[in-house]
Amino acid sequence: MSYGNDMSHMVSVFVPIDRDRPALPYDEFITEGGRHPTAFAEDPKYGGHFYAKYKFPNGRGVTVICGQMFYSRIDAPYEVMFDDEDDPYGYQTDEELMILLAKAIGDM
């Protein structure tokens, strides 16, 4: 886990301002998202923590999280967890996130 990267800039991706869902790939399948529950009790020195939960038509669920207390950093901000797997995919780039989500939905 990386405690040296402030992820506050990711608020524009996970917390919608001018739209109804986060600005992530396959956003039509996002069932909930925003500030991660740890964000409300976090120490400000650790920056932002965010999440988005997906539910795909094939039944697969995926959670994408971002923040200093997770497996994310400035150049690879996403940690991805499939509901039917035990280990997360940490330090994912935008492209790697897209590939994992495409596999989850069955597009690949």
Side-chain angles (χ1 to χ4, degrees):
M1 286 182 267
S2 173
Y3 291 101
N5 294 313
D6 182 352
M7 300 305 250
S8 297
H9 68 283
M10 294 298 287
V11 70
S12 63
V13 174
F14 284 90
V15 180
I17 295 171
D18 59 348
R19 49 186 295 152
D20 61 345
R21 291 186 296 263
L24 290 164
Y26 296 106
D27 64 346
E28 65 270 25
F29 299 109
I30 294 175
T31 59
E32 65 179 275
R35 295 188 184 280
H36 193 274
T38 62
F40 299 105
E42 72 187 16
D43 186 327
K45 70 182 176 186
Y46 292 127
H49 296 87
F50 309 98
Y51 81 106
K53 288 189 176 199
Y54 289 83
K55 192 63 166 183
F56 294 113
N58 62 9
R60 274 197 104 178
V62 178
T63 302
V64 177
I65 58 177
C66 171
Q68 290 178 305
M69 293 172 55
F70 307 118
Y71 295 104
S72 59
R73 60 179 182 248
I74 298 291
D75 61 334
Y78 306 106
E79 179 180 321
V80 180
M81 183 71 178
F82 293 92
D83 290 352
D84 58 355
E85 294 183 13
D86 293 329
D87 296 318
Y89 293 82
Y91 307 110
Q92 300 297 301
T93 63
D94 289 333
E95 182 178 347
E96 291 166 329
L97 172 64
M98 184 69 165
I99 291 168
L100 287 172
L101 292 174
K103 287 180 180 178
I105 197 172
D107 280 354
M108 293 185 78

